[in-house]
Amino acid sequence: MSLDPQPLAPALAAADAAGWTTVRLDLDGVRGKAELMRRCGVALRLPEWVGGNWDALADAMRDLSWLPGGAGRLVAVTSWRGYAEARSAEWEIFVDVLEEAVDFWRGLDGGEPGLTVLLAETGPGPAAGAPRTPRPKHRRG
């Protein structure tokens, strides 16, 4: 998982060239957990059993059987800064869930396609002095 904001277009082009499945999770306008969970459900095509809680999302991100893998999977999270600033504690938990999912897929030896999560910048990149992505400080409870 890249916690340093990265430009979106080169990542999508590289993933496409490598035969990866790409998903864009746009968080524009998201200001709370319920809307975040809804956006995750739509973008990731999550099954109906995935509820609106962190543990269910974490379980789903370790499954992904409904999301074609190809050679790998790239989830590009865009327009995330507003949510990260408005709900920093929730953002930290969300990042923790994503990091755990990436670690899970990295640890599989069965030839399963991996998972990469990119916190993407849709513009030219962060401005000098732009807020950095918060690092998770605690485990979810």
Side-chain angles (χ1 to χ4, degrees):
M1 178 166 165
S2 175
L3 289 177
D4 293 320
Q6 301 292 319
L8 180 58
L12 292 176
D16 185 51
W20 286 28
T21 297
T22 58
V23 174
R24 184 170 173 171
L25 176 57
D26 184 11
L27 301 185
D28 186 35
V30 172
R31 296 295 182 265
K33 180 181 172 185
E35 179 62 15
L36 173 70
M37 294 294 175
R38 190 188 74 70
R39 295 273 181 102
C40 287
V42 170
L44 296 167
R45 297 174 235 140
L46 298 177
E48 290 185 27
W49 61 261
V50 178
N53 64 69
W54 299 118
D55 289 335
L57 180 60
D59 290 345
M61 295 299 293
R62 286 188 302 265
D63 182 347
L64 297 179
S65 59
W66 58 89
L67 187 63
R73 297 176 184 99
L74 171 68
V75 176
V77 183
T78 61
S79 302
W80 52 270
R81 288 188 187 274
Y83 179 66
E85 292 169 2
R87 301 292 187 132
S88 61
E90 289 178 6
W91 174 250
E92 289 177 9
I93 296 169
F94 181 58
V95 169
D96 189 35
V97 167
L98 295 176
E99 285 181 328
E100 287 177 6
V102 169
D103 289 344
F104 171 83
W105 285 97
R106 185 178 296 133
L108 292 180
D109 290 329
E112 292 288 324
L115 173 68
T116 298
V117 176
L118 172 69
L119 300 182
E121 293 290 341
T122 54
R132 297 205 34 102
T133 307
R135 295 287 302 164
K137 296 180 178 113
H138 63 288
R139 309 292 283 182
R140 65 186 182 280

